[in-house]
Structure formats: structure tokens, C-alpha cells
Amino acid sequence: SCWLPYHASSWGDTGHGEYCYSGAASRWSTSTYNFPFSGNYTVIIRINRKSGSNSVPNGFFLGSGTDMTHASGYTFYYLSSPGQYAIVRTDNYNFVTGSGVAFTIKGLTPSAAIKAGLGQYNVLKVVKTGSQYAFYINNTPLHTFSDATHAANFVALAMYSGGFSTLVEYEFVYLNPAP
């Protein structure tokens, strides 16, 4: 399979084309694309949190490997309520237990670009050029930064359910190796 879900029983297909997470764990849940890429690239992901809490993170991770219990890389995420986004760099972070080192690159910041509430699609995009990352939501540029700490050559879908019964659909994941 192309995707390596950390908790396989929680990830699957909606039956109408979307890849989804369905569960109620009080932790992050991730599914990593099993093929590395390198150089300059663009990643675009369309996400819809259909049920659960809309005040917990939806996003993705760009990192140096597929082991999400020792993850080093960058997490790009948003909270649909109250419409905020953030970017975090992790060093040997465990997404399952929430332990490890995390550095805030961009703290929670309000943005009118985020479609608020459950059942709303948001499109997240990162354009990587060299060690520079440009983050967009719904084609609105939000934050650009440079950081060469980690080789970000794997992508993982990442969401947090916060203990609520949750359904998050990923309509598409687009990876272009050159922006």
C-alpha cells in the first residue's frame, strides 16, 4: 500500500473515494506516504473534518522518515474553530504519546482564509524551494520560513481527535516534485 497508517484500524476509504480517519482516540493519528521524495516540491492536501471537535488540529507532517514515533520534521496544521493555523518543527517527536521536542515556528495565528466549522473543506499547501517553506491555506499565503534542520522527504497526514468520535476525510493529496 502507498499509505502506512500508524493505527490501521482507524484509517480507510469512505466508499466514495476519500481516504479517511474514523476514531475517537485522545492523541494524534497519522498515515505516512510510503515513498520518499527530495529536492523542491509542492504538497497540496484537501481536508474535511466531518465530525468531532473542530477546535483540534488537522494537517500534515513533512519529515525525514515514516516512523511517527521518532518523527523529525515540520507539522503544518489548522484549527477550523476559531480559524487559526500553526507550524511546528519536531525533533524525535512521538506523535502517539505526544512526547519529544517541538519548536514553534509560527504559533497559533488567526486567518480569515480558513473555512470554519465541521463539514468544511480546507486546502493546505506547502511549496518547498531549497530550505524555504511557503505555507498556504485555500490558496492564501500565510507564512514563509527557512529551516534546513531536517530533510523533509516524506509526507504524513496528521490529525488529532481529542477523544471525540471523529471523521476526517482527505479528498486528495497532490505531490509535485518541482514547484
Side-chain angles (χ1 to χ4, degrees), residues 3-149:
W3 292 96
L4 299 172
Y6 190 79
H7 295 91
S9 63
S10 298
W11 289 88
D13 188 298
T14 61
H16 48 88
E18 290 91 1
Y19 189 56
C20 70
Y21 167 87
S22 180
S26 293
R27 59 170 161 63
W28 283 96
S29 190
T30 61
S31 187
T32 307
Y33 186 63
N34 195 27
F35 299 97
F37 46 90
S38 62
N40 299 331
Y41 57 81
T42 300
V43 176
I44 304 171
I45 299 175
R46 189 166 191 234
I47 304 171
N48 181 356
R49 184 175 287 258
K50 307 271 289 193
S51 64
S53 173
N54 60 4
S55 61
V56 294
N58 305 288
F60 66 96
F61 173 79
L62 294 172
S64 58
T66 61
D67 183 355
M68 297 306 287
T69 62
H70 302 288
S72 295
Y74 310 93
T75 304
F76 303 83
Y77 67 90
Y78 73 95
L79 312 176
S80 64
S81 177
Q84 298 176 321
Y85 71 95
I87 304 168
V88 175
R89 186 184 84 215
T90 60
D91 296 320
N92 201 29
Y93 188 80
N94 186 326
F95 274 85
V96 177
T97 64
S99 61
V101 180
F103 300 95
T104 300
I105 291 174
K106 181 70 172 172
L108 283 172
T109 303
S111 174
I114 298 167
K115 296 177 184 172
L118 297 173
Q120 298 294 317
Y121 278 100
N122 283 282
V123 178
L124 282 63
K125 176 170 80 172
V126 169
V127 178
K128 180 184 176 288
T129 307
S131 62
Q132 182 173 301
Y133 297 82
F135 183 43
Y136 302 75
I137 294 182
N138 298 320
N139 221 27
T140 300
L142 299 177
H143 188 72
T144 299
F145 68 97
S146 291
D147 190 321
T149 306

